[in-house]
Amino acid sequence: MSDKDRILIFDTTMRDGEQSPGASMTHKEKVDLADLLETMGVDIIEAGFPASSQGDFEAVREIARRSKSSTICGLSRATDKDIERCGEAVRAAARPRIHTFISTSPVHMKHKLQMGPNAVLEAVGHSVAKARNLVNDVEWSAEDATRTEFDFLCKCIDAAITSGATTINVPDTVGYMHPEEYGALIRSLREAVPDSDKVIWSTHCHNDLGLAVANSIAGAQNGARQIECTINGLGERAGNAALEEIVMAFKVRGDSLPFETGVDTTRLARASQMVSRITGFPVQYNKAIVGKNAFAHESGIHQDGMLKNAETYEIMKPEDVGVSKSSLVMGKLSGRNAFRDKLKALGYELDADSLNEAFRRFKDLADRKKHVFDDDILALVDDQLSAMGERVAFRSLRVIAGSQGPQTADLTVLVDGEECSASCEGNGPVDAVFNAIREIVKHDAKLDLFQVHAVTGGTDAQAEVSVRLKGESIMAVGRASDPDTLVASAKAYIHALNKLEARRMKRMAA
């Protein structure tokens, strides 16, 4: 029997994380991510905001229907319509939860809600009671809690508990607090609010000052037993507390942080890669736990120490977070069964058709590239999964480039299954490729970011390209990989364009 306190991990990647500009997720992407999160052992999955759109409602409902062990949660404003919609979406879950909230700080009440304290207090009680009539598990959040007057915050929390809330969340909505302050706030609330021992206290910390993880841990040290977080720290502005950092902090520093979670840490790297692929947001190389350089050592002194004993410079093992020690294992002579086993080891379970397509692409890559690394396979399969079901699909590209000019791109794509082609010039080969896409698929989106990096080393490495498009206050990020940088660029632009259209349609349906 463990002597450590259990911390519930509440993942909000699909709700708060999706609010990052350009990070909108499709129905299938949400369902696939939820499946992985449940397999990982995440306790509560906040699957979306059902009242925000029909698409979000359907995704939450499908995730709830498929769930087996995790609590499936939907977010709801403090209105009857929102709460009823949320209750309907999560109803089929084995463990349904409604998460309702309202702002409590003076600045939010005045400028956002245009409500007085008494009206807010009444709304807290009514919304929680309404939600409790639909499900047994109700979480209540005080938006902008850390800038709320303490006595009023206590009254709101008391009203929520009295009305049936089972979890009380204290969000640092604007990432304003530092750990000592935030820990003290959790402790003071637990001491001041009647019946505080009858609910689970939760943290939800934003990362505007880079303190989200530290604040979350401080909350746990002062009595919080649920931490709200996201994969890769995804979220609005500077993001949220990163799930992988919190989980590994408890695992590595159990000597001074006597907490444990139910998360299978060997799946953290896979979850990070999936979220990066879905959103198109690359993981920074020096990102803690899941960054490409997290277990890399270049300094001669460090390398010497590592060769003698890995503990000289590593406080955790790469395998603990799902990073494979071996990377060079596949080649053009590898068979289908070996490839399927490799995919399974990397965290992929593909259906027969998807496996066949992935194997075909792998063979093509192996013919063009001398060595195929794990990262190559990850990029290849993620690229395939990203393109599934998209309206516009890449077919072929031929580019004429060089110092003499003009640079010309001959591009063929499928639009709703129909083959379309264009030939365009540009100020360089990439510009020519993008002009050809714009010629075929008319749009007014502006290119906001174009970024290229190599998946592995060597001149034959696959290029991974990220493209961010912005239009009509909507942003979308696309990512693709290919040994040919220009092909990867075309695929990434097309992926971003598809996501931009999907996000626009989702907004219109809201």
Side-chain angles (χ1 to χ4, degrees):
M1 189 74 176
S2 174
D3 59 354
K4 296 181 179 180
D5 284 354
R6 179 74 154 79
I7 299 293
L8 299 174
I9 295 297
F10 177 115
D11 180 272
T12 184
T13 305
M14 287 181 284
R15 201 278 302 168
D16 200 326
E18 195 189 25
Q19 292 175 204
S20 298
S24 182
M25 303 178 191
T26 66
H27 178 98
K28 185 179 186 305
E29 287 168 343
K30 280 197 166 189
V31 170
D32 289 347
L33 179 56
D35 285 348
L36 177 58
L37 293 174
E38 185 165 57
T39 302
M40 282 174 59
V42 168
D43 299 287
I44 303 101
I45 300 171
E46 189 165 50
F49 192 166
S52 67
S53 71
Q54 181 63 24
D56 231 33
F57 171 82
E58 291 174 356
V60 174
R61 183 169 61 179
E62 177 63 13
I63 290 166
R65 186 189 66 79
R66 294 165 62 97
S67 66
K68 297 179 179 64
S69 55
S70 297
T71 295
I72 306 301
C73 174
L75 185 70
S76 165
R77 290 166 296 198
T79 67
D80 287 357
K81 184 178 179 181
D82 269 31
I83 293 167
E84 289 166 2
R85 191 71 167 157
C86 188
E88 185 180 354
V90 302
R91 182 172 54 194
R95 294 180 175 84
R97 174 184 292 190
I98 294 175
H99 178 192
T100 185
F101 73 98
I102 194 168
S103 298
T104 55
S105 68
V107 64
H108 274 227
M109 288 191 294
K110 179 179 179 181
H111 297 290
K112 178 181 174 181
L113 299 180
Q114 297 179 335
M115 293 170 64
N118 289 337
V120 168
L121 197 58
E122 183 178 347
V124 172
H126 177 79
S127 61
V128 172
K130 174 78 174 179
R132 189 60 193 266
N133 283 333
L134 300 176
V135 295
N136 291 325
D137 187 358
V138 176
E139 176 172 340
W140 180 78
S141 288
E143 186 177 11
D144 205 20
T146 56
R147 294 192 297 175
T148 298
E149 294 174 351
F150 183 79
D151 288 345
F152 181 64
L153 184 57
C154 288
K155 290 180 181 178
C156 289
I157 293 172
D158 182 37
I161 295 174
T162 301
S163 301
T166 51
T167 299
I168 297 296
N169 184 36
V170 185
D172 187 15
T173 304
V174 294
Y176 179 71
M177 285 199 154
H178 60 70
E180 185 177 356
E181 279 182 315
Y182 189 72
L185 176 61
I186 296 292
R187 182 174 64 254
S188 297
L189 288 170
R190 292 179 61 240
E191 291 172 351
V193 174
D195 295 327
S196 64
D197 58 330
K198 295 181 180 178
V199 295
I200 293 171
W201 289 79
S202 177
T203 71
H204 182 113
C205 300
H206 279 261
N207 204 41
D208 297 72
L209 294 176
L211 297 171
V213 170
N215 285 341
S216 300
I217 291 173
Q221 290 174 310
N222 285 276
R225 289 297 176 265
Q226 175 180 288
I227 292 179
E228 305 193 4
C229 45
T230 61
I231 302 294
N232 294 340
L234 191 68
E236 289 187 281
R237 304 185 312 279
N240 290 275
L243 182 151
E244 61 277 1
E245 295 178 23
I246 289 166
V247 169
M248 289 308 295
F250 291 152
K251 182 168 183 172
V252 174
R253 292 307 315 274
D255 56 329
S256 59
L257 298 173
F259 309 110
E260 63 182 4
T261 73
V263 173
D264 177 0
T265 64
T266 64
R267 298 179 186 269
L268 290 175
R270 174 69 196 116
S272 171
Q273 292 154 2
M274 178 182 279
V275 169
S276 179
R277 184 258 301 172
I278 288 173
T279 62
F281 290 7
V283 178
Q284 67 192 64
Y285 278 25
N286 64 334
K287 167 76 171 64
I289 314 300
V290 293
K292 188 168 289 188
N293 289 351
F295 298 97
H297 305 272
E298 187 166 335
S299 161
I301 296 174
H302 284 212
Q303 289 176 342
D304 179 66
M306 285 293 297
L307 290 171
K308 294 173 179 173
N309 189 318
E311 292 183 4
T312 53
Y313 288 103
E314 285 187 353
I315 60 172
M316 61 193 113
K317 298 176 183 177
E319 315 85 272
D320 290 345
V321 301
V323 175
S324 173
K325 274 188 168 182
S326 171
S327 60
L328 180 60
V329 291
M330 302 293 290
K332 63 181 181 180
L333 299 179
S334 298
R336 188 184 306 272
N337 288 338
F339 181 69
R340 184 181 61 239
D341 289 344
K342 166 53 68 176
L343 290 182
K344 189 172 183 180
L346 293 173
Y348 292 94
E349 293 279 357
L350 302 183
D351 58 44
D353 290 341
S354 297
L355 176 63
N356 289 338
E357 175 62 16
F359 185 65
R360 183 192 65 77
R361 288 162 57 91
F362 161 71
K363 283 292 191 178
D364 288 345
L365 180 62
D367 283 337
R368 301 166 66 186
K369 194 173 187 294
K370 185 175 181 180
H371 299 304
V372 180
F373 296 85
D374 285 359
D375 285 345
D376 289 313
I377 297 173
L378 289 169
L380 179 149
V381 179
D382 282 342
D383 186 49
Q384 174 186 327
L385 294 175
S386 296
M388 288 176 62
E390 292 189 335
R391 175 174 173 260
V392 184
F394 175 86
R395 174 55 63 91
S396 66
L397 175 68
R398 180 175 178 271
V399 178
I400 299 174
S403 61
Q404 300 302 313
Q407 288 78 35
T408 305
D410 298 322
L411 175 71
T412 300
V413 301
L414 294 176
V415 181
D416 294 325
E418 183 178 343
E419 197 168 276
C420 303
S421 300
S423 180
C424 292
E425 295 181 356
N427 183 24
V430 174
D431 188 47
V433 171
F434 290 176
N435 285 341
I437 297 173
R438 284 190 285 266
E439 179 68 22
I440 297 171
V441 186
K442 305 292 185 183
H443 64 279
D444 55 5
K446 304 298 182 185
L447 181 64
D448 196 52
L449 172 74
F450 174 72
Q451 184 173 290
V452 183
H453 77 266
V455 173
T456 56
T459 56
D460 63 349
Q462 289 194 91
E464 188 170 69
V465 176
S466 296
V467 167
R468 185 166 67 216
L469 297 178
K470 190 174 183 180
E472 300 176 8
S473 74
I474 303 174
M475 193 177 294
V477 180
R479 211 171 89 180
S481 58
D482 194 273
D484 188 313
T485 304
L486 296 175
V487 172
S489 299
K491 290 180 176 179
Y493 194 105
I494 291 169
H495 185 212
L497 201 56
N498 280 306
K499 296 201 78 169
L500 193 71
E501 181 176 345
R503 193 172 178 88
R504 185 181 287 116
M505 295 297 292
K506 183 175 179 179
R507 178 168 291 189
M508 290 173 59

